[in-house]
Amino acid sequence: MSRPELVAPPEIYYGDIEAKKYTNNTRVQQIQADMTYRALELLNLPPDDPAFLLDIGCGSGLSGEILDQEGYTWVGCDIAPSMLEVALEREVEGDLFLQDIGQGFGFRPGSFDGAISISVLQWLLNAETSHPTSSPPHRLNRFFTTLHSALRNPSRAVLQFYPTSDDQIQLITSTAQKAGFGGGVIVDYPNSKKARKVFLCLFVGGGGAQQVPQGLEGDEVEDDSQARFEKRREKLKARGKNGRRKNIKDKDWILKKKELYRQRGKESVPRDSKYTGRKRKTVF
Amino acid sequence: MVRLITHNLLACHAKGCTSNNFPLKLQDVAIEVREAEFNPDFVRGFLPRLEWKALVQAARELGDTSLPEEMPEMVDDGFLKNLHHVLLEIHIDEGAMICPNCGHTYPISNGIPNMLLAEHEIG
């Protein structure tokens, strides 16, 4: 499947139907929730301090709901009206704005204690018109400079996104640095295809003494909430009807292997014959 | 669902509009009062970030006169409750916000303000 940001601009891609689909998908909900918790962890806000946060690209409020639960007051903005409508239906607590983050924010300096953004930045990387203000570098620059001024000193912004290439990461980090941010990119589960997540962790102020947090390593933690019995079911399926496991290295298996070796150009693969995969007689 | 807490942070972000662009003027507003949980620590912590004059002015425009003209030196519970009500419980549902400098109108419909700019207004 191609990436949604390559299909259409966000306000069109997330139309009424797609917005509902997206919000009601339990898998999406789970992933968004996990990433929101991780982003909050990276934000490293002082505990028991009621903070005022900005949710960039809040969509239908999947992440906002978690901010509500955690007791934060927040403001969300998104460019897709249909997503915001779903958010209204879900009665999230935060204030919602219809805003194009590539056009910049109008918030007064020092308004927010922190900002999070889940799966949004990649949408800024496509030019929709040939007008100079819609080029990705210009939009990123506008976004980061206005975000930098809207945040308090010191504070952090954690932005999770899906880059397609290292060039994109390079462009985003260099633009953020030019806007005055410190910090860098954190990659969680770098060796996992599925669980790999890229977070951009940006610092405002702090004198450059802050360390970029470590990404999570290893395989993804086995998630108990979904598909717990998948493995067991597969094992059961592998066993035949009579309850015993069927012999794996039968004739089909051998033929398949030999075919594979031939394709790979391995030399001296024996010919197939009627004796292939047959058992020898037991000889005394 | 623009609350006054966000209205108090919002300035115009159109191209070249850098001075006198705060506070945005409210016009033809319809408000709704929805109760929210009172968190005195949050309100107290937010005090220094508020532009007091703009807040009082906006509150009066919406018909709430519970706030004093000047920010009081002594902060007591009654005052915090009033402030909480003004900041977090009054929601603007319909209307518009107008920039006092460049006159750009940000319409609010269904509680969501439209902050999109036209191509020539992007800074």
Side-chain angles (χ1 to χ4, degrees):
Chain A
M1 212 176 80
S2 73
R3 287 168 160 258
E5 62 269 22
L6 300 178
V7 177
E11 67 273 30
I12 294 167
Y13 182 82
Y14 289 115
D16 287 336
I17 298 166
E18 194 63 31
K20 284 245 163 59
K21 255 202 290 191
Y22 184 87
T23 317
N24 293 332
N25 184 331
T26 46
R27 184 173 156 70
V28 171
Q29 284 172 7
Q30 182 66 39
I31 294 174
Q32 294 274 321
D34 288 347
M35 292 194 295
T36 311
Y37 281 120
R38 175 75 175 130
L40 282 176
E41 186 188 337
L42 291 173
L43 214 48
N44 197 17
L45 292 163
D48 306 323
D49 197 13
F52 190 57
L53 300 182
L54 176 64
D55 186 353
I56 303 158
C58 61
S60 48
L62 288 177
S63 44
E65 241 165 33
I66 288 164
L67 297 181
D68 285 341
Q69 278 170 25
E70 300 284 309
Y72 296 114
T73 312
W74 58 280
V75 172
C77 62
D78 204 284
I79 196 176
S82 307
M83 285 293 240
L84 291 174
E85 229 161 78
V86 178
L88 278 185
E89 276 168 29
R90 290 159 62 91
E91 297 190 333
V92 290
E93 304 261 327
D95 283 0
L96 304 169
F97 284 84
L98 179 67
Q99 189 154 32
D100 184 355
I101 57 170
Q103 296 178 351
F105 301 105
F107 297 111
R108 279 198 292 127
S111 296
F112 295 97
D113 296 312
I116 66 163
S117 151
I118 306 295
S119 318
V120 175
L121 274 191
Q122 70 268 16
W123 290 98
L124 280 180
L125 297 168
N126 302 307
E128 275 150 34
T129 63
S130 57
H131 197 272
T133 55
S134 96
S135 76
H138 184 273
R139 285 165 64 75
L140 280 172
N141 181 32
R142 184 89 185 129
F143 167 66
F144 281 122
T145 39
T146 49
L147 176 65
H148 185 268
S149 72
L151 289 172
R152 234 167 52 143
N153 184 0
S155 64
R156 284 185 181 189
V158 177
L159 310 115
Q160 183 274 332
F161 66 111
Y162 293 108
T164 40
S165 65
D166 285 348
D167 288 348
Q168 292 189 340
I169 300 183
Q170 177 65 31
L171 174 68
I172 286 176
T173 45
S174 67
T175 319
Q177 265 165 18
K178 264 182 232 156
F181 282 108
V185 171
I186 299 164
V187 183
D188 279 1
Y189 310 115
N191 301 321
S192 161
K193 212 171 174 186
K194 230 163 91 188
R196 188 188 140 98
K197 293 282 177 301
V198 180
F199 289 87
L200 185 64
C201 189
L202 299 175
F203 307 137
V204 180
Q210 295 188 72
Q211 282 275 317
V212 180
Q214 286 282 315
L216 300 177
E217 289 285 338
D219 291 327
E220 194 186 13
V221 192
E222 192 97 337
D223 197 343
D224 273 347
S225 67
Q226 37 180 294
R228 199 188 293 177
F229 300 113
E230 198 85 356
K231 260 191 192 150
R232 194 197 289 178
R233 202 188 306 143
E234 239 146 60
K235 241 187 221 165
L236 280 172
K237 226 194 264 172
R239 284 178 202 177
K241 271 184 197 139
N242 50 11
R244 261 183 293 149
R245 228 178 272 188
K246 77 173 183 190
N247 195 7
I248 301 170
K249 293 184 181 173
D250 57 0
K251 193 175 175 187
D252 289 339
W253 182 84
I254 294 171
L255 288 175
K256 211 174 77 187
K257 277 287 187 197
K258 283 160 96 176
E259 190 54 43
L260 193 71
Y261 289 145
R262 279 184 210 114
Q263 273 178 13
R264 289 184 186 157
K266 192 174 170 187
E267 277 167 36
S268 68
V269 181
R271 282 185 293 130
D272 297 340
S273 73
K274 64 176 183 182
Y275 302 107
T276 306
R278 251 207 219 173
K279 264 227 167 91
R280 274 171 216 270
K281 257 185 204 161
T282 45
V283 184
F284 286 96
Chain B
M1 288 195 304
V2 197
R3 291 173 292 188
L4 285 186
I5 189 170
T6 15
H7 172 262
N8 200 261
L9 299 173
L10 215 52
C12 179
H13 64 297
K15 186 181 188 176
C17 193
T18 49
S19 59
N20 187 29
N21 57 356
F22 174 85
L24 300 176
K25 245 175 60 185
L26 296 165
Q27 203 182 45
D28 307 329
V29 288
I31 59 169
E32 189 188 340
V33 177
R34 247 178 281 172
E35 267 183 45
E37 210 178 309
F38 178 50
N39 184 344
D41 290 336
F42 175 76
V43 180
R44 193 177 292 123
F46 211 81
L47 265 180
R49 261 182 268 180
L50 289 170
E51 194 73 43
W52 188 256
K53 257 174 81 183
L55 179 69
V56 173
Q57 190 193 333
R60 301 231 158 133
E61 277 175 41
L62 299 181
D64 189 301
T65 50
S66 58
L67 294 182
E69 199 74 57
E70 295 293 326
M71 198 191 297
E73 304 265 317
M74 283 291 290
V75 176
D76 57 12
D77 247 20
F79 167 73
L80 282 182
K81 277 226 169 83
N82 280 340
L83 187 58
H84 164 78
H85 173 74
V86 170
L87 282 180
L88 297 166
E89 291 186 339
I90 301 179
H91 296 254
I92 304 171
D93 255 355
E94 301 283 335
M97 295 184 289
I98 297 168
C99 171
N101 184 31
C102 69
H104 185 99
T105 311
Y106 300 99
I108 304 172
S109 79
N110 211 355
I112 298 177
N114 181 344
M115 306 301 287
L116 300 180
L117 300 173
E119 211 164 64
H120 65 273
E121 291 167 323
I122 303 170

